[in-house]
Amino acid sequence: MKWQNHLAANINWAGDISNYEEKNKVAERVSRFVKDGDVIGVGSGSTSFLAVRAIAERVRQEKLDILTIPTSHEALLNCTALGLKTTSLAAERPDWAFDGADEVDSNKRLIKGRGGAMFAEKLVMASAPMTYILVDESKFVSRLGEKFAVPIEVDPRAVHLVETELNNLQTLEVQLRMAKSKDGPVITEAGNLILDARFQEITTDMERELSAIPGVIETGIFTGYSVEILTI
């Protein structure tokens, strides 16, 4: 039996989508990769939202049978509202995945996590043989960290320890990410906090160094994964 309420039947996205035309063209492009029987990792964010919509239309028109592995509550709700079957990494391994990015450099290194879902996104990316990164031209940078801080998901019990260790790495700035429309900090879907840290330079080893700090659950630095950058 299916839910008949409004939320179950309608896709949801908060606010306007910047660079809509560019993002929609990239979303349409990745939707053409879908084959019958695919298990697809579904990223979070506005471009991934448009891709889910485009994929759902192909599934409907061509009567394809696919499974999706969403990386956030937002992606899960939209997949189900659009009629896409969902599963989890506990049950299936993705044949491929797609996701967005906040920054992309010339070496295909990424910063992700402005939406706070980098832990699940990295799990899916590491599990998939290939992940297509859907971006418009505004996401390309000459230096990683040029536009955005690095999100770091932290166990609440370790927030002071992690900030102290980050300051020992000579960070330019560390801020606790505060929520909108609720009091207090952002709480991730795994019940953790997010520290946004700015660095003078993001080195090749920084993802590993940050992850080694006790209490760090995941970072928004994505390096060394099998990705292909898709843009118009």
Side-chain angles (χ1 to χ4, degrees), residues 115-129:
M118 61 276 191
F119 182 30
E121 289 170 344
K122 193 170 285 188
L123 289 176
V124 169
M125 189 179 293
S127 301

Side-chain angles (χ1 to χ4, degrees), residues 34-231:
V34 177
K35 302 188 302 296
D36 193 48
D38 276 352
V39 179
I40 304 170
V42 176
S44 304
S46 60
T47 312
S48 293
F49 165 73
L50 295 174
V52 167
R53 194 174 64 177
I55 288 170
E57 183 61 20
R58 268 206 67 201
V59 168
R60 185 186 66 80
Q61 289 184 355
E62 301 176 32
K63 295 181 171 54
L64 301 176
D65 186 16
I66 70 168
L67 288 172
T68 61
I69 301 177
T71 57
S72 65
H73 293 313
E74 168 255 316
L76 173 62
L77 288 170
N78 288 324
C79 282
T80 54
L82 287 163
L84 296 175
K85 298 176 184 176
T86 63
T87 185
S88 69
L89 287 175
E92 303 279 352
R93 183 179 182 183
D95 295 299
W96 57 279
F98 64 88
D99 207 339
D102 302 316
E103 289 187 1
V104 181
D105 74 4
S106 58
N107 295 314
K108 298 183 179 179
R109 299 190 307 164
L110 316 173
I111 285 183
K112 293 174 49 56
R114 287 175 67 206
M118 61 276 191
F119 182 30
E121 289 170 344
K122 193 170 285 188
L123 289 176
V124 169
M125 189 179 293
S127 301
M130 174 59 68
T131 299
Y132 298 100
I133 302 299
L134 316 179
V135 292
D136 60 78
E137 290 296 326
S138 69
K139 302 303 175 68
F140 291 100
V141 294
S142 58
R143 176 183 61 83
L144 211 61
E146 181 179 309
K147 296 181 179 179
F148 297 110
V150 175
I152 302 170
E153 185 167 351
V154 178
D155 185 297
R157 295 168 293 183
V159 65
H160 300 306
L161 169 63
V162 173
E163 183 187 7
T164 300
E165 293 296 323
L166 288 174
N167 287 329
N168 290 337
L169 293 176
Q170 297 182 331
T171 51
L172 299 176
E173 181 182 52
V174 181
Q175 290 189 340
L176 177 65
R177 187 181 299 183
M178 303 303 289
K180 297 179 180 179
S181 301
K182 76 170 282 292
D183 294 333
V186 167
I187 306 297
T188 71
E189 293 175 31
N192 300 309
L193 305 179
I194 296 177
L195 294 176
D196 288 312
R198 292 188 177 275
F199 299 91
Q200 185 69 43
E201 180 185 6
I202 296 176
T203 64
T204 303
D205 295 331
M206 186 163 285
E207 181 178 10
R208 177 180 55 81
E209 291 172 355
L210 295 177
S211 295
I213 298 173
V216 169
I217 305 301
E218 196 47 83
T219 82
I221 303 173
F222 286 60
T223 60
Y225 296 95
S226 297
V227 300
E228 181 176 331
I229 311 301
L230 289 188
T231 188

